[in-house]
Amino acid sequence: MADGQPTDAYRCGQLYAALAALERLGAPDGRATLDSKTTRAKASENPRGTLKLHLPRVMSHLMRAQKSPRGGEAVKVFRSIPELLPRSRELPGSLNHAQRDDFHQGCLAQEKALGAAAR
């Protein structure tokens, strides 16, 4: 964050956390495939590979979540997604070690910001 703005890696971490929360809110059992530590680790190495698979599913997660008591939370998460996209509007491929740390920090920050929706 040299210029005071989050790095694209950090934003991808935030985006990952938001997508996981939205998936969780729409899942009947409250679980998300993005909750997997293995999937999260892969995403931190190559966000493009993981996020490109999950971004197209956003609407279906939202639609399912709206049928649940937590539909309002899902709408808030859904609305936050555009602000979490990388500034370059391109999902980064391979991340180096420092960028992976940024990714994880972004995930943690977004989970904290989402509060109950992140659980």
Side-chain angles (χ1 to χ4, degrees), residues 48-109:
R48 183 182 309 137
T50 301
L51 296 176
K52 278 181 80 171
L53 294 174
H54 291 274
L55 277 168
R57 300 176 185 160
V58 167
M59 285 303 295
S60 63
H61 296 316
L62 176 63
M63 298 305 284
R64 276 195 305 269
Q66 284 187 309
K67 295 176 186 174
S68 78
R70 297 182 76 188
E73 292 174 76
V75 170
K76 288 178 186 175
V77 174
F78 176 79
R79 287 183 178 158
S80 74
I81 291 173
E83 294 299 318
L84 305 176
L85 295 171
R87 286 180 290 165
S88 65
R89 299 294 186 216
E90 191 68 36
L91 295 169
S94 296
L95 299 182
N96 64 34
H97 184 70
Q99 290 170 317
R100 285 183 209 143
D101 287 343
D102 275 357
F103 179 94
H104 289 295
Q105 291 304 313
C107 276
L108 294 173

Side-chain angles (χ1 to χ4, degrees), residues 23-31 64:
E23 182 182 4
R24 205 174 300 112
L25 289 167
D29 63 358
R31 294 184 180 170
R64 276 195 305 269

